[in-house]
Amino acid sequence: MVAAAWNNYLEIEKSLEKRGFIPFENFVWTRALNKKILLINANCHGEFYREYLYKIPGFLEEYCEFFLPSVAENEDGQIPESWLRNCDIYLHQDIQAANSKSYRLSDEYVLPKLKDGCKAVCVPNFVGLGKAFYPSSMGLKKSVSVAFGSIWMFDQDRLLDKGYEKYHTIAGIKKLWLSEDAIEEDEIRRLFQDRLDKMLQREKNWDIKVSDIVLNNYKDKKLFWDSGHPTNALMLPVCARMAVFLGLQDIENTNITLEPRLDFVEAFVLPCVKKALRLNWTEEGTIRKGEWVFNKLEGSELTVEEYIRQYIWWFKGVYLEE
């Protein structure tokens, strides 16, 4: 048995393997002793599945997770095959063979290597689907390099760019950006239908079907922080459905509280979108409320005016006073 913290265990495992010892056969992590093994191979959405499972009574007494980096951060580009051979629950997104990271992370490569009886569950990937609510977004274009990686600052916004070129003032940009006619309703509705069609197409490969959750809730709840990151209001019922699919719960329990928030890219749903899609929910004039203050120019709250000011500073190199 190897008694060590997770990061230390990983180093010990690699060292023992070089000497010919096989994980789960010749040695085992003490926390995994007499427990079933969980693996989560996903993007940042995986945080939600992990937390939900951990909060199911008795789950951690029965299961032990062997932690995988998110797909984008998996520098090895693979999952140890000894882990796959001993896995009991494998949560994964629909990872194609031609993915940009590694074939060895793909479903085509991984699924045949799982042991008989492993519950392999394909969970949703919402990246890009939130674009339906952010039609002026041109994608993540501004990041800052820091000691521990990169911080994504803002989606580039074609309306803010247009407002700056036309007005060069916060008041003028805000007036254009918040106009209910800033983008034609037909364009917004076409984009919404396009994203819905994409979801329905992706969903064919998902074990956890979620289109009904989106359609039944999008008018009354904010479901996406930006074009690629779902809110807790969306992920909670998705996780509850996953737990039922796995047989860990009899009903979809949405009373569990999820702590992770994927709101690290600033985004507002504009009035023109709310009008076109008949959205009933409201959001406060500030977002983030200091949770990620390290990427602010000043202050810990972000009003619409401050959002515009910071956006123009980062993209145009100009600090607008008014």
Side-chain angles (χ1 to χ4, degrees), residues 46-319:
E47 296 178 38
F48 292 101
Y49 302 116
R50 173 178 298 109
E51 179 163 357
Y52 191 96
L53 289 173
Y54 281 20
K55 289 185 174 180
I56 294 175
F59 182 84
L60 290 176
E61 283 69 45
E62 186 175 358
Y63 289 89
C64 174
E65 181 179 3
F66 272 52
F67 299 95
L68 296 174
S70 67
V71 174
E73 296 175 345
N74 192 322
E75 296 180 359
D76 292 337
Q78 61 184 335
I79 303 170
E81 299 206 3
S82 59
W83 297 10
L84 297 176
R85 290 194 302 270
N86 289 275
C87 181
D88 295 282
I89 292 180
Y90 178 66
L91 296 185
H92 65 103
Q93 290 170 323
D94 182 20
I95 305 175
Q96 298 296 307
N99 73 83
S100 61
K101 194 65 179 181
S102 169
Y103 173 68
R104 287 175 175 266
L105 294 175
S106 71
D107 294 348
E108 182 176 287
Y109 180 83
V110 170
L111 294 180
K113 296 185 177 296
L114 297 171
K115 71 177 184 181
D116 291 341
C118 175
K119 297 178 180 179
V121 181
C122 188
V123 293
N125 181 358
F126 291 107
V127 170
L129 299 180
K131 173 73 172 175
F133 302 98
Y134 301 95
S136 61
S137 169
M138 299 168 66
L140 288 169
K141 298 290 178 67
K142 182 58 66 175
S143 65
V144 176
S145 296
V146 293
F148 53 85
S150 296
I151 301 171
W152 286 104
M153 305 296 293
F154 297 96
D155 277 6
Q156 187 167 2
D157 190 296
R158 59 188 170 100
L159 287 181
L160 291 180
D161 291 346
K162 178 180 178 181
Y164 175 73
E165 296 303 323
K166 186 173 183 179
Y167 297 107
H168 291 277
T169 66
I170 289 178
I173 297 169
K174 177 182 176 182
K175 182 178 179 180
L176 184 150
W177 202 42
L178 298 187
S179 168
E180 289 190 342
D181 301 315
I183 302 174
E184 291 185 2
E185 288 193 15
D186 285 348
E187 178 183 343
I188 295 170
R189 290 171 182 163
R190 284 196 301 270
L191 179 60
F192 180 85
Q193 187 60 51
D194 175 74
R195 296 297 111 167
L196 177 59
D197 291 344
K198 279 183 167 51
M199 183 186 302
L200 292 171
Q201 183 63 35
R202 289 187 193 179
E203 193 176 57
K204 293 177 181 178
N205 294 331
W206 299 345
D207 292 309
I208 312 302
K209 312 300 183 184
V210 298
S211 55
D212 62 310
I213 295 175
V214 174
L215 288 171
N216 291 337
N217 289 281
Y218 80 91
K219 289 187 176 182
D220 299 313
K221 298 177 181 179
K222 185 173 183 175
L223 299 183
F224 289 89
W225 293 116
D226 56 69
S227 59
H229 296 97
T231 66
N232 297 36
L234 174 54
M235 288 305 299
L236 180 57
V238 172
C239 289
R241 188 164 291 183
M242 168 208 64
V244 172
F245 185 88
L246 283 168
L248 300 172
Q249 292 180 322
D250 295 326
I251 60 173
E252 296 178 9
N253 180 7
T254 54
N255 292 320
I256 290 178
T257 301
L258 295 178
E259 298 299 333
R261 287 169 61 97
L262 300 180
D263 59 337
F264 41 82
V265 178
E266 313 285 9
F268 281 91
V269 174
L270 299 177
C272 61
V273 176
K274 291 185 177 181
K275 177 185 176 184
L277 299 181
R278 309 296 188 265
L279 305 182
N280 301 317
W281 51 267
T282 59
E283 59 185 336
E284 300 175 21
T286 60
I287 53 178
R288 287 204 189 171
K289 291 184 175 289
E291 292 186 46
W292 298 77
V293 297
F294 51 73
N295 69 3
K296 303 294 187 294
L297 289 177
E298 58 184 43
S300 61
E301 294 188 347
L302 213 61
T303 61
V304 171
E305 291 81 4
E306 184 62 18
Y307 184 102
I308 293 172
R309 180 179 291 111
Q310 292 191 28
Y311 178 93
I312 298 303
W313 190 89
W314 284 108
F315 277 92
K316 309 297 182 182
V318 176
Y319 186 88

